[in-house]
Amino acid sequence: MEYRILGKTGLRVSEIGFGCGNVGGLMVRGSHREQIEAVSYALGLGVNYFDTAPAYGNGRSETNLGQVLKELQPDVVVATKVGINSDDMGDLKGAVESSLETSLSRLGRDSVDVLQLHTPISLESAETGRRWSLSLNDVLGTDGIGEAFESVRSQGLVRFLGFTGLGETEALHRVIDSERFDLVQAYYNLLNPSAGVAVPSEFKGHNFSQLINRAKQRNMGVVVIRVMAGGALGGKVARSGFASPSVGGAIAPGAEYETDETRAGKLDFMLKDDLTSLPQAAVRFALSHQDVSTVLVGYSNLGQIELAAGCSGKKPLSKTVMEKLRALWSTDFGI
């Protein structure tokens, strides 16, 4: 395992992180014995970054991770999140404090290394279906999320602050430019690379306009999320075992699961030389970006942990492969 620095936090984190979410499902639906085995295996391979959230399994992920880490007592970086909905708008500070207090109780810890905002950000607040979006002012303004996060940091409950880079691109870039946060979770994968690559004007997906590069300019850490496009890059086998049988609605516009599966079917040309599977290609692609700090992968079994960890330290994708990818991005994979 190789390690990178998580931006201005100074934390030395493994290139491959352990995502404890619902999509991979192991830390939500696995037995305690299986979770102990999986985390022990990951630790043995050098993984030291663990990411969870209250929303994963309605708190089960945090509870299960806390129990496992209490038993194993490893020296690792633990990140969790705070999700804000419309009911919280009257008291954002109280909502942050209450959520964090519950998270710490589940994790069995006095503090966490990283606390992240887990709600999309737009220029103006909006509610679309079940998804609530905070406004830029809700995050950066007086009595906003930024101040609430600084408050819990001043109490010694968290060390570093981050946010999930979903929502309107302009709003996300302005949050980065505010320098209120230490790291960002970036949506970045083979099907939508726009957070880290300048995509052609013909690209039809949500354009994050090189958010990763913007974060680097502010010395922010970058944590890649949805590297497998919610499992679409893993095929049907990725939806077996503890994995969520369905991913639900797209967390980024234009990234519906069924359509992403179709796009993934156009990537078999990558499977040659030392690339033997699309999940491997996906992780290698994300790690090829020098400004990425760590790549979160959600796991269903030990084999997936081994595959992801084995991508650390490998050479970047070839120029030929990247040229073919750019051609596909410009035509939306011909679909």
Side-chain angles (χ1 to χ4, degrees):
M1 181 65 65
E2 295 194 4
Y3 298 83
R4 302 184 183 187
I5 300 301
L6 188 64
K8 56 189 172 184
T9 73
L11 295 173
R12 181 173 176 268
V13 296
S14 51
E15 288 190 331
I16 304 300
F18 198 119
C20 301
N22 191 55
V23 176
L26 199 155
M27 294 305 294
V28 174
R29 290 176 287 276
S31 68
H32 180 66
R33 179 188 61 78
E34 290 164 325
Q35 291 165 355
I36 285 283
E37 183 180 22
V39 172
S40 295
Y41 190 59
L43 293 170
L45 293 173
V47 174
N48 76 345
Y49 191 91
F50 290 78
D51 177 89
T52 184
Y56 300 157
N58 293 319
R60 290 194 299 276
S61 173
E62 288 182 321
T63 298
N64 293 337
L65 178 62
Q67 291 173 347
V68 169
L69 295 182
K70 180 179 180 180
E71 185 168 333
L72 296 177
Q73 293 291 307
D75 182 13
V76 295
V77 176
V78 176
T80 193
K81 307 180 184 76
V82 171
I84 299 295
N85 58 47
S86 56
D87 296 333
D88 299 321
M89 297 307 297
D91 184 9
L92 289 175
K93 182 179 179 183
V96 168
E97 291 177 343
S98 176
S99 178
L100 178 58
E101 180 182 355
T102 302
S103 292
L104 292 176
S105 176
R106 291 182 184 133
L107 287 163
R109 304 174 71 90
D110 296 325
S111 65
V112 289
D113 297 290
V114 178
L115 180 68
Q116 300 154 117
L117 176 62
H118 202 200
T119 306
I121 305 170
S122 303
L123 294 175
E124 300 294 337
S125 60
E127 190 164 12
T128 304
R130 294 184 176 181
R131 188 171 291 272
W132 172 257
S133 177
L134 290 166
S135 73
L136 194 61
N137 186 63
D138 293 332
V139 178
L140 300 180
T142 302
D143 297 325
I145 293 295
E147 289 191 0
F149 272 30
E150 286 293 356
S151 175
V152 293
R153 171 150 63 180
S154 70
Q155 298 172 52
L157 302 178
V158 303
R159 297 175 64 194
F160 303 108
L161 311 175
F163 72 99
T164 301
L166 295 172
E168 292 182 9
T169 299
E170 182 181 348
L172 300 176
H173 281 233
R174 288 170 66 175
V175 173
I176 288 171
D177 288 344
S178 75
E179 301 189 25
R180 293 293 299 268
F181 295 88
D182 304 305
L183 63 127
V184 60
Q185 290 196 313
Y187 186 102
Y188 184 54
N189 58 51
L190 285 167
L191 308 183
N192 185 338
S194 63
V197 175
V199 293
S201 59
E202 300 87 352
F203 181 73
K204 296 180 180 178
H206 183 83
N207 191 345
F208 289 97
S209 299
Q210 295 180 274
L211 178 149
I212 291 173
N213 311 57
R214 187 83 165 229
K216 175 63 176 179
Q217 292 172 2
R218 301 297 181 180
N219 196 24
M220 291 177 66
V222 175
V223 177
V224 168
I225 59 172
R226 288 296 173 107
V227 67
M228 302 294 180
L233 288 164
K236 288 183 172 55
V237 67
R239 302 264 55 81
S240 61
F242 296 118
S244 173
S246 63
V247 178
I251 66 171
E256 291 74 18
Y257 183 79
E258 293 76 11
T259 306
D260 273 354
E261 275 193 313
T262 302
R263 293 183 178 112
K266 310 281 187 175
L267 295 175
D268 285 348
F269 72 89
M270 301 183 72
L271 306 184
K272 59 181 181 179
D273 300 327
D274 61 339
L275 285 172
T276 59
S277 69
L278 285 185
Q280 184 187 53
V283 177
R284 291 270 297 277
F285 169 75
L287 287 175
S288 293
H289 199 304
Q290 62 181 2
D291 296 336
V292 165
S293 307
T294 186
V295 176
L296 283 182
V297 182
Y299 306 111
S300 303
N301 56 57
L302 299 186
Q304 293 173 355
I305 300 173
E306 182 178 21
L307 181 148
C311 294
S312 177
K314 294 294 192 290
K315 63 183 180 181
L317 300 183
S318 71
K319 183 178 295 185
T320 300
V321 166
M322 290 302 299
E323 288 174 353
K324 290 183 178 180
L325 284 171
R326 289 189 180 94
L328 285 174
W329 297 331
S330 68
T331 63
D332 195 22
F333 294 79
I335 61 175

